[in-house]
Amino acid sequence: MKITIFGTWYVGLVTGTCLAEVWHDVLCIDIDQQKVDNLKEWIIPIYEPGLQELVVRNYREWRLDFTTDASAWVAFATAIFSAVGTPPDANHKADLRFVKAVATTVAENMTDYKVFINKSTVPVTTGDMCKDLMSDILKSREVNIDFDIVSNPEFLKEGCAVKDFMLPDRIVCGVESERAKQVMTEIYKSFTRTDKPLMFTDIKSSEIIKYAANSFLATKISFINEIANFAELVGANVGDISKGIGLDPRIGSKFLHAGIGYGGSCFPKDVSALIETGKEYWIDFKIIKATESVNARQKTKPVEKLQSLLPELKWKTIAIWGLAFKPKTDDIRDAPSIDVINKLLSLWVDTIRAFDPVAMDNMAHEFENEQKVIFTARNYDALKSADALIILTEWDAFRNPDFDKVSELMKWNVIVDGRNIYNKHIMQEKWFNYIWIGK
Ligand SMILES: NC(=O)c1ccc[n+]([C@@H]2O[C@H](COP(=O)([O-])OP(=O)(O)OC[C@H]3O[C@@H](n4cnc5c(N)ncnc54)[C@H](O)[C@@H]3O)[C@@H](O)[C@H]2O)c1
């Protein structure tokens, strides 16, 4: 089947590539000429394990292509995915500018039946908005062309996006016609041969499913972080508490790791957007608002912890291991590391020496005018003459360092572990002044 994808970054590129992998003919459209030129030379704009191999194979075998020429290529496929960004606007609502732009391009150029599929995370009633917008444009063109709107939110996780897409837990499709349902069934038939459901709902329910899922997961994280802060005060161990509650299948063990809170391109903006959407309907999402405020406090917890060990941070050199909001991605959008760095700078540290296996270019861009933030070529280089080390991302590369070397390089043996990756007893044996979260 021919498929067009608008927006060729984390979600659009993974969606397009994986659909090509199951032998659909896929055309990915982006407004960013550089990104498209790079993709044609197999330069992938993101770090995502396994993606490049699939892009290369499907491009070489003519099932995947890239263009910026949107209007010329609307005719290419019946199924058109919109996977453009929905970043927060100034009022923390989802900014639908890019979605509207895609719907407009499609309506202005379509000459036959289309299924317009919202894969971006969009607030409830966005489907209606797209329908009205496209109907108005078709009316002004004085043409009568059928189309359907579908909501098909994406649940992939950065870092294992390809695997998540190829082996989904579920595929949710909000539809309002049998014709659209058939198109979606055809698109996903290769993914649903297992017992994982292709689930059809109405459009509004599908739109809400995505926000409810992300808000629930974010709530689990904030919940365990609150318990962690309590455990710390009373001298308990949040690791044991997580295990003790997570073994109950009604609770489940996932997303119960205490740490420095959630970040990334989805949870923060989706939690805020749901709160804002609620306000439009006079709904006060109390639990979700609490989730957000607990998270805001938790993000700079490592600095508080550091201050408990080194009360005066002025003129100190602080090493940071890990900048990405989680391992296996170079995404730093809303990463807690940004909050930690800004907080350290506000406390007049002398230098921040940071290392991350893949996210340093993005972070260097974020702090391009900040002389005090230095990015080092190797993880150990970040430790040179450091007064303290803060762990902010639980990359495997940081799990088993040579602690003798760490100690040799650092000025003081102070480690704040924001991801609880080390064993306190081993750290104490090695004479580290070590502090973690919730234990
Ligand atoms: N990143 C994730 O892990 C993830 C997971 C699930 C859902 N989502 C949702 O998917 C959507 C996309 O997220 P992302 O991180 O892939 O996107 P993004 O915001 O990072 O990138 C979107 C891409 O769309 C392009 N674009 C913008 N306007 C365009 C237009 N008119 N025509 C063609 N291309 C256009 C941009 O150049 C960019 O390459 C968002 O709504 C996000 O919330 C993201």
Side-chain angles (χ1 to χ4, degrees):
M1 186 172 177
K2 287 184 173 174
I3 294 168
T4 304
I5 317 261
F6 279 77
T8 311
W9 213 3
Y10 288 91
V11 168
L13 183 58
V14 171
T15 301
T17 307
C18 292
L19 291 176
E21 182 68 9
V22 297
W23 285 68
H24 290 302
D25 288 326
V26 180
L27 179 66
C28 289
I29 297 177
D30 204 285
I31 46 172
D32 185 336
Q33 186 68 52
Q34 184 67 53
K35 203 174 275 174
V36 166
D37 292 345
N38 284 345
L39 280 163
K40 281 172 172 284
E41 292 180 11
W42 309 339
I43 301 166
I44 310 296
I46 51 172
Y47 174 82
E48 191 57 58
L51 182 59
Q52 179 163 37
E53 185 194 328
L54 260 58
V55 170
V56 172
R57 180 168 56 237
N58 287 287
Y59 184 77
R60 269 190 182 153
E61 294 174 7
W62 303 95
R63 288 188 301 274
L64 179 65
D65 206 350
F66 307 97
T67 183
T68 50
D69 195 356
S71 43
W73 286 97
V74 165
F76 174 76
T78 298
I80 298 182
F81 282 85
S82 168
V84 291
T86 47
D89 68 11
N91 301 313
H92 308 291
K93 294 180 180 177
D95 183 347
L96 296 176
R97 219 166 0 133
F98 304 108
V99 175
K100 284 180 188 165
V102 177
T104 302
T105 304
V106 173
E108 280 174 348
N109 294 284
M110 62 194 265
T111 51
D112 57 359
Y113 173 73
K114 301 289 177 201
V115 183
F116 185 86
I117 307 157
N118 266 319
K119 182 147 274 302
S120 304
T121 304
V122 291
V124 65
T125 70
T126 301
D128 291 346
M129 182 274 287
C130 292
K131 191 174 178 181
D132 292 346
L133 177 66
M134 291 174 69
S135 299
D136 286 349
I137 293 170
L138 292 173
K139 212 177 281 169
S140 69
R141 284 176 57 201
E142 296 181 357
V143 291
N144 189 8
I145 307 169
D146 263 0
F147 69 93
D148 274 306
I149 302 286
V150 169
S151 158
N152 173 219
E154 181 50 54
F155 301 101
L156 62 77
K157 300 181 285 300
E158 288 179 15
C160 56
V162 171
K163 185 167 166 262
D164 284 349
F165 197 95
M166 297 304 281
L167 299 167
D169 300 323
R170 77 295 203 194
I171 297 166
V172 174
C173 295
V175 295
E176 51 185 18
S177 84
E178 190 53 38
R179 199 174 177 189
K181 189 173 174 181
Q182 276 169 17
V183 170
M184 298 312 290
T185 305
E186 178 65 22
I187 290 173
Y188 285 117
K189 68 179 180 200
S190 305
F191 299 90
T192 49
R193 280 173 301 179
T194 55
D195 58 352
K196 305 298 180 194
L198 174 57
M199 178 185 162
F200 287 100
T201 69
D202 61 276
I203 293 177
K204 286 179 184 160
S205 301
S206 168
E207 289 167 337
I208 294 175
I209 284 170
K210 176 65 190 175
Y211 282 96
N214 276 359
S215 298
F216 188 81
L217 293 171
T219 300
K220 267 187 115 175
I221 295 172
S222 280
F223 175 82
I224 202 62
N225 281 333
E226 272 216 308
I227 296 290
N229 296 340
F230 178 54
E232 230 167 69
L233 275 180
V234 299
N237 181 332
V238 77
D240 290 340
I241 298 168
S242 293
K243 193 170 174 193
I245 61 174
L247 285 169
D248 181 336
R250 291 171 303 177
I251 297 173
S253 59
K254 301 267 170 68
F255 281 75
L256 284 182
H257 299 288
I260 56 173
Y262 58 79
S265 62
C266 292
F267 286 7
K269 80 170 174 63
D270 294 348
V271 165
S272 303
L274 184 56
I275 293 169
E276 293 307 316
T277 305
K279 285 182 192 165
E280 285 169 25
Y281 297 87
W282 300 98
I283 292 287
D284 184 17
F285 280 117
K286 289 192 174 67
I287 294 173
I288 302 170
K289 278 160 80 178
T291 293
E292 192 176 52
S293 70
V294 168
N295 195 60
R297 206 182 51 204
Q298 199 72 12
K299 278 170 140 189
T300 50
K301 197 87 185 161
V303 182
E304 271 173 46
K305 298 241 165 206
L306 181 58
Q307 285 175 303
S308 72
L309 298 176
L310 288 178
E312 182 56 271
L313 292 181
K314 204 172 177 183
W315 312 128
K316 296 282 193 295
T317 295
I318 309 299
I320 291 180
W321 276 0
L323 298 167
F325 83 94
K326 65 174 186 177
K328 296 190 192 156
T329 179
D330 60 352
D331 201 340
I332 57 151
R333 289 178 279 183
D334 265 316
S337 57
I338 297 176
D339 299 75
V340 169
I341 292 174
N342 280 325
K343 182 82 188 168
L344 289 171
L345 291 172
S346 75
L347 294 167
W348 297 93
V349 297
D350 181 69
T351 311
I352 296 168
R353 297 176 64 81
F355 173 82
D356 186 285
V358 297
M360 286 196 295
D361 286 350
N362 287 340
M363 199 55 97
H365 190 62
E366 177 79 22
F367 286 98
E368 62 190 350
N369 297 320
E370 186 48 73
Q371 313 276 321
K372 288 184 170 185
V373 184
I374 293 169
F375 299 95
T376 63
R378 284 176 299 249
N379 52 355
Y380 289 114
D381 295 346
L383 307 177
K384 278 182 196 156
S385 306
D387 293 281
L389 165 65
I390 309 181
I391 312 284
L392 294 181
T393 317
E394 64 276 36
W395 282 96
D396 285 344
F398 304 145
R399 285 184 186 274
N400 286 304
D402 175 347
F403 284 113
D404 294 333
K405 191 169 174 180
V406 171
S407 166
E408 216 170 90
L409 288 164
M410 290 178 67
K411 199 193 293 177
W412 302 107
N413 281 357
V414 174
I415 298 185
V416 175
D417 183 354
R419 298 296 184 175
N420 291 351
I421 60 175
Y422 301 137
N423 179 310
K424 185 162 190 165
H425 303 298
I426 295 175
M427 301 305 285
Q428 280 169 344
E429 272 167 26
K430 294 194 177 285
W431 296 101
F432 278 95
N433 201 352
Y434 174 77
I435 199 161
W436 51 9
I437 307 272
K439 303 189 190 186

